[in-house]
Amino acid sequence: MKTRDKHQLTDDELREIVFEKNPRVDYELKQGIITIIKPQDHWIQRFFRKLNFKIPENTYLDLDEYGSFVFQQVNGKRSVYEIGQNLGHKFTEANEHLYSRLWLYLNHLEENEQIIKRIS
């Protein structure tokens, strides 16, 4: 299924879409904030490291409070609808445009960052 706006997705469709964390992605949880650890192991990066260029072996992506909460909710069992319900209960201010924003964020994590993947 291609990325679609929430306005095109029904609640039933949101109940059927489930994501899981990519098992190849490392992350840390500290004080409620998730940090994604991304290895910099492309052959060109390794080559320049051998030439003593200061290229870090990892980069770190800190998710904000909302993003960390959503990432922790992704478990291969919860649907997008359930994650949205939990997010709305925890952060009532997030309820405006909740599912359109959540859908956009989850698709970004899947397609651009490859830290989660859709399983249904």
Side-chain angles (χ1 to χ4, degrees), residues 43-58:
W43 71 268
I44 196 77
Q45 293 164 323
R46 291 190 307 266
F47 173 77
F48 279 109
R49 268 191 219 103
K50 288 180 183 179
L51 297 176
N52 293 321
F53 282 81
K54 293 184 180 183
I55 298 174
E57 293 195 19
N58 295 303

Side-chain angles (χ1 to χ4, degrees), residues 13-80:
E13 289 174 309
L14 291 170
R15 284 183 175 96
E16 293 177 9
I17 301 170
V18 177
F19 290 93
E20 69 179 1
K21 293 175 182 76
N22 183 338
R24 296 180 296 155
V25 173
D26 291 326
Y27 63 93
E28 295 176 341
L29 173 63
K30 290 183 184 173
Q31 298 176 343
I33 299 297
I34 295 287
T35 300
I36 306 295
I37 304 164
K38 296 173 126 184
Q40 301 284 16
D41 59 356
H42 189 272
W43 71 268
I44 196 77
Q45 293 164 323
R46 291 190 307 266
F47 173 77
F48 279 109
R49 268 191 219 103
K50 288 180 183 179
L51 297 176
N52 293 321
F53 282 81
K54 293 184 180 183
I55 298 174
E57 293 195 19
N58 295 303
T59 58
Y60 301 89
L61 173 64
D62 292 326
L63 303 180
D64 66 6
E65 188 176 12
Y66 294 105
S68 293
F69 180 83
V70 169
F71 183 78
Q72 290 176 75
Q73 293 289 303
V74 172
N75 66 359
K77 296 177 184 158
R78 283 189 194 96
S79 69
V80 172

Side-chain angles (χ1 to χ4, degrees), residues 4 11 13 20 26 47 66 81 83 91 94 109 114:
R4 291 183 3 193
D11 286 351
E13 289 174 309
E20 69 179 1
D26 291 326
F47 173 77
Y66 294 105
Y81 184 84
I83 292 171
F91 303 100
L109 293 181
Q114 289 92 37

